[in-house]
Amino acid sequence: MGLFSFLTGHKDEEKALADIATAVGTEPARSEPTEPVQHTTPGPEALFTPPEAWNIDALTAPAPETSATDKPTIGAADPAITAELQGPVVEATKTVYDPEIPVDIYELGLIYDITADADRNVLVKMTLTSPACPSAQQIPSEVRYKVKALPGVKDAWVEIVWEPPWSKDRMSEAAKLALGIY
């Protein structure tokens, strides 16, 4: 037990004082004998109780069901709106990096297509370097968030595609130079 007995909820003051005295190099202070202390192990609920102000319902609620309406609601591609938004969307995707590679996802060649409809909804088709990419959740979410935040964009979706498969040939010359691939 000793100095860190408070972590388990046990209080053995005499032992703790002796440990401190030994560490400091002095004699431990002696106290009058007291009644034996009953040691009980606290249950998990005693270790931490969240304040009432915290709303933990989201952590304990079942996952929401998804439906067909959760799919992107992109209309027919509008070439004029797509051309207008393509530059800002490309610039936004250039701020997204794969955490393992010091090159943005646009220069890596992960962005396959950008389309927008007349209502200014944007669909970005992209891939990942590998189906087992550890950032498979984070990267598309970041792309959607950044594209959706652009002025003039009503909503944005990211669709992950695996055809054609990504290869080093899709990388820009700048990305190849940055990674030492010639």
Side-chain angles (χ1 to χ4, degrees):
M1 295 223 215
L3 291 175
F4 298 105
S5 62
F6 66 89
L7 292 174
T8 60
H10 300 293
K11 295 180 180 175
D12 188 352
E13 293 175 20
E14 185 101 10
K15 174 78 170 112
L17 288 173
D19 289 348
I20 292 170
T22 303
V24 174
T26 63
E27 273 298 306
R30 299 282 178 213
S31 62
E32 295 297 317
T34 60
E35 293 181 26
V37 177
Q38 294 293 331
H39 293 287
T40 59
T41 304
E45 66 281 347
L47 297 177
F48 177 76
T49 304
E52 287 186 33
W54 288 11
N55 181 357
I56 60 168
D57 294 340
L59 299 174
T60 58
E65 293 184 28
T66 57
S67 67
T69 59
D70 292 339
K71 302 257 186 263
T73 54
I74 295 277
D78 183 317
I81 301 292
T82 299
E84 176 189 337
L85 294 176
Q86 193 159 11
V89 170
V90 166
E91 290 306 311
T93 60
K94 284 185 173 188
T95 65
V96 179
Y97 288 80
D98 184 315
E100 298 175 331
I101 306 171
V103 177
D104 67 77
I105 64 169
Y106 187 81
E107 297 295 332
L108 280 174
L110 298 180
I111 304 298
Y112 283 5
D113 191 30
I114 299 168
T115 56
D117 66 10
D119 293 330
R120 304 179 89 68
N121 295 310
V122 176
L123 175 64
V124 177
K125 290 186 180 181
M126 66 172 288
T127 193
L128 300 168
T129 54
S130 159
C133 177
S135 300
Q137 297 292 320
Q138 176 247 332
I139 292 173
S141 295
E142 188 175 349
V143 169
R144 181 177 186 212
Y145 172 79
K146 288 185 174 183
V147 171
K148 190 175 179 178
L150 290 171
V153 173
K154 180 180 175 186
D155 208 345
W157 288 273
V158 174
E159 182 181 339
I160 302 295
V161 295
W162 299 108
E163 291 297 326
W166 180 84
S167 72
K168 295 184 291 186
D169 298 334
R170 296 194 54 85
M171 294 170 58
S172 71
E173 293 300 316
K176 289 178 183 177
L177 184 63
L179 296 175
I181 300 172
Y182 299 86

